[in-house]
Amino acid sequence: MSTCKGYAAKTAGAALAPFSFQRREPRDHDIVIDIKYCGICHSDIHQARNQWSDYQEEVIFPMVPGHEIGGIVAAVGAQVSKYKVGDKVGVGCYVDSCRTCAACRADLEQYCTVQTVWTYNGRDKEGNPTYGGYSNRIVVDENYVLRMPGNLPLDACAPLLCAGITLYSPLRHWQAGPGKKVAIVGLGGLGHMGVKLGHALGADVTVLSHTRKKESDAARLGADHFYATSDPETFTKLAGSFDLILNTVSALTDWNQYLDLLAIDGTMVLVGLPEKDIPIGAFSLTSRRRSLAGSQIGGIRETQEMLDFCGQHGITCDIELIPIQRVNEAYERVLKSDVRYRFVIDTASLNKD
Ligand code: NAP
Ligand code: ZN
Ligand code: ZN
């Protein structure tokens, strides 16, 4: 075992504070990664504050959040073939899965029907709690490690591991591209990646934001159109417009209103994960043969494809780099939609405590 330094919520809703914990010694297929950067995903806040208690069977504290990890390989196990010391690598939302179920065999490890081992707030195959990327090191099986784009800065690529793949996967699955009208609801960490990726795939991209504050940013990120959902006219003007809506909103909103913006055979994909159920009216779906769907991150193969795509197209996240000592303040700013567009922790700051 080796001792690691990180920041943890000791109990649900507690401010994050310095925390020491143990990680396993590397096994034959393990990679030891020196974590350089870790993005702050809204899911970290939901979980550190135990806001998904209606949906999660177990919540484990102390919790070291963080699943947008960018780092450098520090050591490799005896049988590792994919990576070597010094490689720029990433780790996303999960660090293992059963590897044999139909989902795992179809490269959909995030939907493993036996056990997806979440990067934090989960348990490994031995039943030990997992700890995430707000820390200095992590040990991960090579099959669940990603290669980061060599030509792009590691800090601005770290959030691709969750925010990037969570939007890339549904954009690809529902075939966003030339001639497709795509709306991104919520211009936060996920949403701004949806705009960049949707634009790079050739779709016509509209941002639906709850205020007008981010209008000029949306255009700079690649959006073709922008509407504020606080303006009631938006919903009449855009009724029946979109082939695909990717809804990234973390808060409770009326999904029926957004469904009404879909064209015939259009689909709204939920990726935002509000803490309570939201009722849906049957007429919202039947009137134009609309679909309501959901999507969760992406498989390892598709995550690598997304990283390579970002490398080819020069796509990174817009980030605000912070020392870990400011993580609690960053959480409050995320909750106020006051982040442009992802906080990333510089883990070198762990040495300052
Ligand atoms: P974020 O940066 O906080 O972005 C969420 C955006 O939602 C905000 O920027 C804001 O955009 C909008 N919003 C917030 N409060 C709102 C309100 N009261 N009414 C209307 N709009 C509001 O969060 P994120 O990291 O992108 O994550 C978004 C959600 O996705 C979270 O629930 C997270 O847990 C979930 N998530 C899901 C997956 C998955 O695999 N499905 C993966 C990662 C995260 P505007 O200011 O533009 O309105
Ligand atoms: Zn996330
Ligand atoms: Zn499986």
Side-chain angles (χ1 to χ4, degrees):
M1 303 282 261
S2 68
T3 304
C4 290
K5 280 201 248 185
Y7 264 51
K10 305 267 165 58
T11 55
L16 273 69
F19 176 66
S20 288
F21 61 99
Q22 303 291 312
R23 296 215 192 258
R24 66 172 184 253
E25 285 303 317
R27 300 170 185 153
D28 283 355
H29 283 281
D30 277 346
I31 293 188
V32 182
I33 300 166
D34 275 342
I35 299 175
K36 299 294 179 192
Y37 304 104
C38 186
I40 295 179
C41 177
H42 204 122
S43 301
D44 300 345
I45 305 175
H46 286 305
Q47 292 183 89
R49 299 188 175 183
N50 195 16
Q51 292 171 341
W52 290 338
S53 54
D54 288 2
Y55 310 108
Q56 284 183 324
E57 277 169 28
E58 189 190 24
V59 186
I60 305 166
F61 290 97
M63 185 188 296
V64 178
H67 58 208
E68 294 184 335
I69 298 169
I72 304 290
V73 176
V76 295
Q79 303 286 322
V80 167
S81 60
K82 295 184 178 166
Y83 298 98
K84 58 181 191 321
V85 171
D87 284 353
K88 258 166 82 169
V89 291
V91 177
C93 296
Y94 53 92
V95 289
D96 210 340
S97 65
C98 87
R99 306 176 190 214
T100 54
C101 76
C104 285
R105 281 186 279 115
D107 295 312
L108 296 168
E109 300 89 345
Q110 77 278 30
Y111 304 123
C112 174
T113 53
V114 180
Q115 185 196 9
T116 304
V117 178
W118 303 109
T119 303
Y120 69 88
N121 193 23
R123 293 194 181 272
D124 64 20
K125 288 178 175 170
E126 289 72 44
N128 302 309
T130 54
Y131 297 110
Y134 298 3
S135 60
N136 60 342
R137 278 193 159 198
I138 192 164
V139 181
V140 183
D141 184 288
E142 63 175 328
N143 294 301
Y144 294 80
V145 171
L146 287 308
R147 189 173 295 282
M148 300 300 266
N151 56 328
L152 300 174
L154 190 57
D155 53 357
C157 285
L160 297 175
L161 274 313
C162 176
I165 184 60
T166 299
L167 276 289
Y168 183 82
S169 185
L171 283 166
R172 296 286 299 193
H173 186 78
W174 278 274
Q175 294 161 354
K180 286 280 172 82
K181 289 191 165 187
V182 176
I184 306 289
V185 188
L187 194 62
L190 267 56
H192 96 291
M193 289 316 304
V195 173
K196 290 190 184 200
L197 293 165
H199 176 71
L201 290 167
D204 181 78
V205 179
T206 298
V207 168
L208 299 173
S209 188
H210 72 296
T211 66
R212 298 211 80 88
K213 286 185 201 157
K214 301 174 182 171
E215 187 163 6
S216 56
D217 284 356
R220 177 179 55 78
L221 296 167
D224 301 285
H225 318 278
F226 180 97
Y227 293 89
T229 53
S230 53
D231 176 358
E233 273 191 26
T234 293
F235 290 95
T236 39
K237 211 182 294 176
L238 299 178
S241 297
F242 299 108
D243 301 305
L244 178 64
I245 298 177
L246 300 183
N247 191 330
T248 78
V249 175
S250 47
L252 296 168
T253 53
D254 181 4
W255 287 339
N256 298 287
Q257 268 196 311
Y258 293 96
L259 286 168
D260 211 38
L261 304 184
L262 290 172
I264 294 172
D265 287 332
T267 302
M268 176 158 86
V269 183
L270 304 173
V271 292
L273 292 163
E275 55 198 81
K276 295 281 173 210
D277 291 350
I278 294 176
I280 297 290
F283 283 89
S284 300
L285 298 170
T286 55
S287 61
R288 280 194 173 96
R289 199 165 60 184
R290 294 157 167 150
S291 301
L292 178 62
S295 185
Q296 180 172 274
I297 41 178
I300 292 292
R301 183 192 288 267
E302 194 175 43
T303 306
Q304 190 61 60
E305 179 188 307
M306 177 275 310
L307 289 166
D308 297 345
F309 180 87
C310 289
Q312 281 150 21
H313 292 262
I315 295 174
T316 55
C317 306
D318 286 23
I319 64 163
E320 186 173 337
L321 195 63
I322 57 162
I324 201 159
Q325 290 77 10
R326 284 180 50 206
V327 64
N328 295 301
E329 175 194 331
Y331 275 22
E332 293 308 319
R333 285 185 51 199
V334 170
L335 292 171
K336 285 189 237 151
S337 303
D338 175 26
V339 48
R340 303 290 188 274
Y341 277 88
R342 200 57 141 186
F343 285 111
V344 171
I345 295 166
D346 180 350
T347 59
S349 57
L350 279 164
N351 295 325
K352 291 189 199 142
D353 284 322

